[in-house]
Amino acid sequence: MFKKAQNILSFRSVDLANLSLFDILLKLVAIFLILLPVLIFIILFINSLPAISKLGFSVFTTNNWDPVSDKFGVIAPLLVTVIVGVISTVLGLMISTPIALFLSFYSRGKISSFFSTVIDALASIPSVVLGLWAIFYVAPHIGTIETVIKALFGFIPFLNGNPSPFGLLTTILILTLMLVPIQTVLIKELIILVPRNLLEAGFSLGTTKYEIVTNLILPFIGQGIVAVVFLSLARGMEETMATAMLIGNRPLFPDSIFSPTATLTSIIANEFSEAFSKTYLSVLFELGLILFALVFVTNVCAKFILRMLYRRFR
Amino acid sequence: MRVLTDRLFQAFTMAVALSVSIILAFILFQLIKDGIGSINLNFFVETARPVGSNSGGFKQAIVGSLLIDSIAMIIIISFSVLGGLFLHVYPETLLSKILKESMSLLQGTPTIVCGICVYYMVVRSMGHFSGFAGSIALALVGIPYMVLASEQIFKMTPSLLVEAAYSLGLSKARVIFYVILRFAKFPLLAISLLTLARIAGETAPLLFTAFGNSFLELNPGRPMAAMPLQIFIYAISPYDEWHRLAWAGALVLIIFVTVLSIILGRYRRLGE
């Protein structure tokens, strides 16, 4: 041991012993890493300038996607992106909240670790694989489900369309499945934030777990849930592969919840390598810029809420 | 009555958890059922072929993925360890606060956006798609996770050891090399593997960078195939034979990714 220390002490190296060099290296790397997101933003902005100058605000007023005659309507994919994100998030919360409660309160030991493993495994499935599975095992049955929905709720305007295997509903269902793991993990973290003494006080009064959950836990994590909503919204909106495989790629506003349409990500994924004109390519970069801004805003909202929560409970 | 409500609620939460498990089991079962038949010698030694009697295999995608992912991992590890060290050595400075923020911003960046930016930076300047560009795009995706995770790992170094090293009169750089890095060797390996599992399934950044290739390509300066990319191309093709290959590829990919992330579950929550 002593010998080892001596070796280290007597080890002479020219540049590493010189602390300032190593420090400079660390700082350079840090600055480089800080510049990466800035660089991404600048590239997106530079490349979308031609489209912005040529089409201006008209992209937000047209519901038409015709690259040949330079007609690009961004508003439909933008709205669809948000709609898909919101619906998947809400559906996902209905599934993930019970699972998180189950893992925190109603299961112990082996059962709990088994379900945690299930959630982890679901989170680690690449979106391409999930998309592949959905193409062959979900899409064929979607038509049937949609016919049933149409028969039951056809009087609601948005639930009355022609059933199609690829479209909004298929994408929403698969995205819901993709968002469940991340939501479950986040809600579990929120439940841990609830002060233990409150829980123990509750149990000492002889309440059941159900009453604890409804009267203590849910009100307590309510604000946190908002942050979870924002985080999973961001996840849902930036999801590319599964969406591109299932949405149907028709860049117009959907007539109903069943119809094929397109999101920002699916348009970029499907048309980027086929962009034949400068304006076309530039519009795709503009879509990327809009997506970047959307996800950035949602993430910032989520972070802001989480910071407030942590400051209050830590 | 109250107890009954509690029991019902418990049953309800359990049912939801079970149904999600059943869906997962279903996915895995279908993957194995459709994929296992096509995993044979051909799958590993044949490159892609046109649809016909022998529809070829996945060799070019497997080799391409290995190359692209290893180059990406070299870039990710070198930058992330230095970035994490910076965060550990200079905590609470303005620069490290900005670095943390920008890393979480990069984490939130849609992967397809990373892809088109690398397309503009690397592919346009080289004049053609290349595996190397794919590696850079994947590095953009992987760096933020690994920077934040490695900072967490460096934080775990026992302060006793560090103080003992300083008391021997070692310089800061030597403490980093002989104490902190040595202590963090295995956790760093673990999070590197987790990052690898994360980027191995990424497809969007590769779409306009590596682009795919039907032939075996060992030169990173040329367009290259990759596993997830090949799965995507085959999945949206109209041929049954290619669908079977896509299933087999998906099975191999998912075995790799899932095994890695379940083994290293302990480190999974770092860097989120």
Side-chain angles (χ1 to χ4, degrees), chain B residues 184-231:
Chain B
K185 217 171 5 181
F186 285 107
L188 276 181
L189 183 71
I191 56 164
S192 307
L193 288 175
L194 267 180
T195 312
L196 176 64
R198 189 183 286 274
I199 64 169
E202 282 288 352
T203 320
L206 297 176
L207 280 174
F208 323 113
T209 50
F211 198 65
N213 194 333
S214 318
F215 303 100
L216 184 63
E217 181 65 66
L218 295 172
N219 173 8
R222 309 274 319 144
M224 247 192 212
M227 297 272 293
L229 208 53
Q230 201 72 35
I231 294 168

Side-chain angles (χ1 to χ4, degrees), chain B residues 63-73 131 134-135 138 206 210 224-226:
Chain B
V63 174
S65 253
L66 282 175
L67 277 170
I68 291 174
D69 288 354
S70 30
I71 296 173
M73 278 323 286
S135 302
L138 286 181
L206 297 176
M224 247 192 212

Side-chain angles (χ1 to χ4, degrees), chain B residues 12-263:
Chain B
F12 164 69
T13 56
M14 185 148 184
V16 174
L18 265 178
S19 60
V20 169
S21 318
I22 287 167
I23 292 177
L24 177 77
F26 199 68
I27 295 173
L28 294 180
F29 171 74
Q30 302 286 19
L31 263 176
I32 292 167
K33 189 182 72 124
D34 290 10
I36 204 90
S38 300
I39 295 187
N40 46 25
L41 191 64
N42 260 357
F43 179 85
F44 294 103
V45 301
E46 289 267 3
T47 55
R49 295 248 184 120
V51 177
S53 53
N54 169 5
S55 56
F58 246 68
K59 182 180 173 187
Q60 83 288 7
I62 295 171
V63 174
S65 253
L66 282 175
L67 277 170
I68 291 174
D69 288 354
S70 30
I71 296 173
M73 278 323 286
I74 290 168
I75 301 171
I76 291 175
I77 290 172
S78 48
F79 278 108
S80 307
V81 170
L82 287 172
L85 272 176
F86 177 84
L87 286 175
H88 179 70
V89 176
Y90 301 99
E92 302 303 316
T93 56
L94 180 67
L95 201 57
S96 78
K97 273 179 187 156
I98 299 176
L99 177 58
K100 265 194 174 169
E101 287 307 317
S102 79
M103 282 301 107
S104 53
L105 172 58
L106 194 58
Q107 220 174 34
T109 307
T111 50
I112 187 106
V113 167
C114 293
I116 58 177
C117 285
V118 172
Y119 168 86
Y120 176 75
M121 270 195 309
V122 183
V123 178
R124 291 272 293 264
S125 54
M126 279 175 81
H128 53 77
F129 297 107
S130 65
F132 181 64
S135 302
I136 291 178
L138 286 181
L140 276 182
V141 176
I143 279 177
Y145 288 100
M146 186 133 173
V147 168
L148 297 173
S150 56
E151 190 228 358
Q152 299 282 346
I153 279 172
F154 294 138
K155 265 191 188 153
M156 291 177 193
T157 321
S159 55
L160 256 178
L161 274 182
V162 178
E163 282 160 17
Y166 277 128
S167 70
L168 289 175
L170 295 189
S171 66
K172 204 175 213 170
R174 283 195 189 176
V175 171
I176 286 169
F177 273 87
Y178 290 112
V179 182
I180 297 180
L181 279 182
R182 186 155 297 188
F183 194 84
K185 217 171 5 181
F186 285 107
L188 276 181
L189 183 71
I191 56 164
S192 307
L193 288 175
L194 267 180
T195 312
L196 176 64
R198 189 183 286 274
I199 64 169
E202 282 288 352
T203 320
L206 297 176
L207 280 174
F208 323 113
T209 50
F211 198 65
N213 194 333
S214 318
F215 303 100
L216 184 63
E217 181 65 66
L218 295 172
N219 173 8
R222 309 274 319 144
M224 247 192 212
M227 297 272 293
L229 208 53
Q230 201 72 35
I231 294 168
F232 175 64
I233 293 165
Y234 281 173
I236 56 175
S237 77
Y239 309 113
D240 275 351
E241 290 175 39
W242 282 7
H243 293 163
R244 279 200 290 279
L245 276 177
W247 282 109
L251 183 60
V252 171
L253 184 66
I254 210 166
I255 286 173
F256 174 72
V257 170
T258 313
V259 165
L260 268 185
S261 33
I262 285 179
I263 288 176

Side-chain angles (χ1 to χ4, degrees), chain A residues 52-162:
Chain A
I52 294 170
S53 63
K54 188 169 176 185
L55 302 169
F57 210 72
S58 69
V59 287
F60 292 109
T61 51
T62 41
N63 176 26
N64 190 358
W65 189 266
D66 186 7
V68 180
S69 55
D70 271 355
K71 281 193 171 52
F72 300 101
V74 171
I75 193 76
L78 177 63
L79 278 176
V80 170
T81 304
V82 176
I83 289 170
V84 166
V86 169
I87 299 180
S88 318
T89 301
V90 172
L91 287 178
L93 275 179
M94 289 177 190
I95 299 172
S96 56
T97 315
I99 294 181
L101 291 171
F102 176 74
L103 288 174
S104 322
F105 291 104
Y106 290 113
S107 62
R108 268 193 210 92
K110 279 224 165 81
I111 296 176
S112 182
S113 64
F114 167 74
F115 282 109
S116 300
T117 311
V118 166
I119 294 292
D120 280 356
L122 197 59
S124 70
I125 296 179
S127 76
V128 167
V129 176
L130 211 56
L132 171 78
W133 177 75
I135 284 179
F136 293 104
Y137 288 101
V138 179
H141 307 299
I142 290 285
T144 332
I145 297 170
E146 286 177 348
T147 316
V148 171
I149 292 177
K150 195 176 166 178
L152 289 177
F153 306 103
F155 54 87
I156 302 169
F158 216 66
L159 294 177
N160 193 356
N162 297 323

